[in-house]
Amino acid sequence: LARPGILAALALVLTGSGLALGNLGSAGDLVQTGYGAALSVKIALVAATFALGAAALRRAEAAAGLAVLAAAAVVVSLLPPV
């Protein structure tokens, strides 16, 4: 992996984590609300995308990346629990 790509991915994870912490009242909201459930799916897809990228499975990584975008669209369409 290229260093700029790793730094960009780290920046996305850190800013997304900060936003999620601000939008969730508690860790329980990840499983007790629709917003949290959608966010949990997005987190899992991001992790899968990173794993596929690390394994150099480019087509699968691209497909997972598109799934992350779809999950992000769902997350932003829902009201946060806070």
Side-chain angles (χ1 to χ4, degrees), residues 1-13 50 53 58 61:
L1 292 171
R3 185 175 173 99
I6 292 171
L7 293 176
L10 180 61
L12 288 172
V13 168
F50 287 164
R58 298 296 175 224
E61 178 189 15

Side-chain angles (χ1 to χ4, degrees), residues 12-43:
L12 288 172
V13 168
L14 290 175
T15 57
S17 298
L19 183 62
L21 289 174
N23 286 337
L24 295 173
S26 68
D29 286 341
L30 279 172
V31 293
Q32 296 171 350
T33 65
Y35 178 87
L39 186 59
S40 296
V41 168
K42 182 182 169 198
I43 291 167

Side-chain angles (χ1 to χ4, degrees), residues 41-76:
V41 168
K42 182 182 169 198
I43 291 167
L45 289 169
V46 167
T49 302
F50 287 164
L52 292 167
L57 299 171
R58 298 296 175 224
R59 286 188 181 170
E61 178 189 15
L66 290 174
V68 169
L69 290 176
V74 171
V75 170
V76 299

